[in-house]
Amino acid sequence: QGVSKRFGGTLALDHVDFDLNAGEVHGLVGENGAGKSTLMKILSGYHPEFEGNFILKGKKVHFTSTKDALAQGIGMIYQELSVIKTLTVAENIFLGDPPTTKTGLVDWRRMYREADNHLKQLGMMNIDVRAELSTYTVATRQMIEIARVIFSGADIIIMDEPTSALSHNEIQSLFEFIRVLKSQGKGVVFISHFLDDVLAISDRITVLRNGKKVMTVNAGDVDKRTLTQAVLGKEESVEVGRKQHVDVNTEVTPIVEVRNLKRRRQLHGVNFRVYPGEIVGIYGSMGAGKTQLAECLFGIIHPDEGEILLDGKPIRIANSTHARSLGIGYVPANRQTTLFGSNEIFKNITLTHLSAVCPGLVSVSRELTAANK
Ligand SMILES: Nc1ncnc2c1ncn2[C@@H]1O[C@H](COP(=O)(O)OP(=O)(O)OP(=O)(O)O)[C@@H](O)[C@H]1O
Ligand SMILES: [Mg+2]
């Protein structure tokens, strides 16, 4: 009730009311910076300092940490998953707190048995709890993370952007999973920028804009257009679905042309052209070969057959350094592996170009100048 939160000069939340029922999926939408994550980080104990009242199951509460919130049944799944890929499924379920024998050793048998039972109770029948998590897809890992949070005692589960890395089919299986949670009386907060997803899974939807609550409605009472308007706050901006047509000149030489590209069992003769000033979208479900194609264009892997032409000239891209020297940039799907979260922004920008930015000695002031530019 009336939750406000300030970060320095930013009023991230301004007297926001929000409520969640047992067995409900509550969608939370709003533009970047609207305050969605901040509101949920307050509910999950991540931000202990805020103004307003927080009432849980009829009692006023104040959490001092996420651990504290979890102990009282609130768990949050952040966009960047916190499960550990190189551990087994069971180890992830018990993360940090495995069952032990009388002599204080990890009781593996019990751990596997309990993890297996737990997943089955949540309708996840085909998971081998002894397998390393890395053998499963991102979608399954995400469900395992949700299962972990529930196993730690959560009956209120907050999901921040859970569908952004998932394919259509994976979203459907996540939704089935969420419906199981609902039927077990758990409350779910579903944050997403994908309004179709929010409309499909939510019972009610709350819209935040600039830290203020715009509305809370039954999902059945709104359509995407109304929701988009509420999110943006202005009528004339509801152009989201309209195609912006740019005339591409196909008379000139394409800047990139891919001819009959083949690689192992993944790429079977791919052809396309990219003309100057053009954006070409490449669509496909997980495992369709999109990443392989991108990696071929960036020299990370090499095609078995076929040609890549830059400005009309066939070229064999030796490696990623060569690709960069040809003016090709690659932003991979998993940014966690290519960004250095504990380093400054300027370091992240200059790192791959250090020899160009600072020939000779590394100089922070040069790096800063380059990064600012
Ligand atoms: N730890 C923080 N320190 C300073 N400012 C913050 C912090 N966390 C959030 N903010 C600011 O608070 C406002 C709300 O941010 P928040 O992350 O809650 O938005 P959001 O709705 O989750 O956005 P997105 O859709 O991009 O995830 C923004 O202006 C943001 O810059
Ligand atoms: Mg957020």
Side-chain angles (χ1 to χ4, degrees):
Q1 293 172 341
V3 169
S4 296
K5 173 79 189 170
R6 188 175 278 285
F7 294 107
T10 311
L11 188 58
L13 292 172
D14 186 1
H15 295 89
V16 173
D17 293 332
F18 180 86
D19 66 287
L20 175 71
N21 299 320
E24 178 189 37
V25 179
H26 197 140
L28 186 57
V29 300
E31 282 198 283
N32 292 117
K36 307 179 294 294
S37 297
T38 304
L39 182 62
M40 291 306 129
K41 283 175 175 172
I42 287 174
L43 301 196
S44 63
Y46 184 92
H47 291 311
E49 303 297 326
F50 63 93
E51 280 168 43
N53 287 319
F54 183 4
I55 293 138
L56 181 65
K57 295 164 191 166
K59 286 199 197 82
K60 199 174 163 189
V61 288
H62 191 132
F63 300 144
T64 52
S65 66
T66 50
K67 216 176 151 185
D68 194 10
L70 193 54
Q72 301 200 45
I74 302 182
M76 180 156 173
I77 289 108
Y78 298 92
Q79 199 180 346
E80 320 266 272
L81 297 184
S82 59
V83 282
I84 301 166
K85 278 197 278 188
T86 52
L87 295 180
T88 63
V89 172
E91 285 171 303
N92 271 289
I93 298 276
F94 280 91
L95 215 59
D97 193 17
T100 49
T101 61
K102 282 194 198 93
T103 50
L105 298 172
V106 172
D107 188 344
W108 292 97
R109 266 193 203 191
R110 197 173 127 205
M111 183 156 114
Y112 290 137
R113 194 181 55 234
E114 288 186 8
D116 190 58
N117 283 341
H118 174 60
L119 292 181
K120 292 217 161 81
Q121 272 172 20
L122 295 173
M124 298 171 76
M125 299 299 173
N126 300 317
I127 307 281
D128 175 6
V129 294
R130 291 165 193 256
E132 215 177 76
L133 199 68
S134 59
T135 57
Y136 290 104
T137 60
V138 175
T140 308
R141 279 183 229 156
Q142 198 163 37
M143 288 187 231
I144 291 168
E145 168 136 24
I146 296 167
R148 177 175 69 76
V149 168
I150 294 169
F151 193 65
S152 318
D155 53 9
I156 294 166
I157 298 120
I158 300 164
M159 303 180 190
D160 201 347
E161 288 287 349
T163 58
S164 51
L166 307 186
S167 69
H168 177 77
N169 288 342
E170 290 171 329
I171 291 171
Q172 297 317 309
S173 50
L174 176 70
F175 283 2
E176 263 165 48
F177 184 60
I178 292 177
R179 287 187 196 107
V180 173
L181 304 184
K182 238 176 88 115
S183 71
Q184 297 179 349
K186 296 184 170 65
V188 175
V189 180
F190 185 91
I191 302 180
S192 180
H193 284 279
F194 300 103
L195 299 182
D196 290 319
D197 291 350
V198 175
L199 282 162
I201 193 68
S202 307
D203 298 300
R204 284 188 300 160
I205 300 171
T206 289
V207 180
L208 293 182
R209 194 190 325 133
N210 292 328
K212 291 192 180 69
K213 181 168 112 171
V214 179
M215 62 180 188
T216 296
V217 284
N218 290 325
D221 297 340
V222 279
D223 57 11
K224 195 174 170 188
R225 197 186 158 82
T226 321
L227 212 51
T228 310
Q229 267 173 25
V231 165
L232 297 174
K234 42 186 185 253
E235 185 99 21
E236 68 272 27
S237 295
V238 189
E239 304 270 318
V240 182
R242 211 180 73 181
K243 273 196 197 117
Q244 284 198 343
H245 254 296
V246 176
D247 284 329
V248 171
N249 181 3
T250 54
E251 306 289 295
V252 298
T253 312
I255 41 175
V256 178
E257 179 168 359
V258 167
R259 286 187 191 159
N260 195 32
L261 211 67
K262 292 190 183 169
R263 191 174 192 278
R264 315 252 158 104
R265 268 160 299 165
Q266 285 271 299
L267 305 174
H268 309 281
V270 177
N271 295 281
F272 66 88
R273 290 172 178 170
V274 184
Y275 288 95
E278 187 185 25
I279 297 171
V280 174
I282 295 176
Y283 176 79
S285 59
M286 275 210 176
K290 305 183 298 292
T291 304
Q292 291 237 346
L293 180 60
E295 290 185 350
C296 282
L297 289 172
F298 199 58
I300 298 171
I301 56 175
H302 301 110
D304 299 329
E305 264 180 63
E307 274 187 318
I308 298 170
L309 292 84
L310 293 186
D311 293 319
K313 287 186 270 311
I315 193 142
R316 189 183 172 279
I317 304 171
N319 51 40
S320 57
T321 312
H322 184 206
R324 278 194 284 121
S325 72
L326 295 165
I328 304 171
Y330 179 40
V331 182
N334 189 353
R335 255 87 73 188
Q336 274 168 287
T337 59
T338 51
L339 287 174
F340 301 90
S342 52
N343 273 288
E344 295 88 341
I345 294 171
F346 79 86
K347 281 278 174 206
N348 275 281
I349 291 173
T350 55
L351 193 72
T352 49
H353 311 282
L354 215 47
S355 57
V357 174
C358 318
L361 283 176
V362 173
S363 139
V364 170
S365 67
R366 283 218 182 128
E367 283 188 72
L368 279 171
T369 311
N372 273 321
K373 195 170 144 204

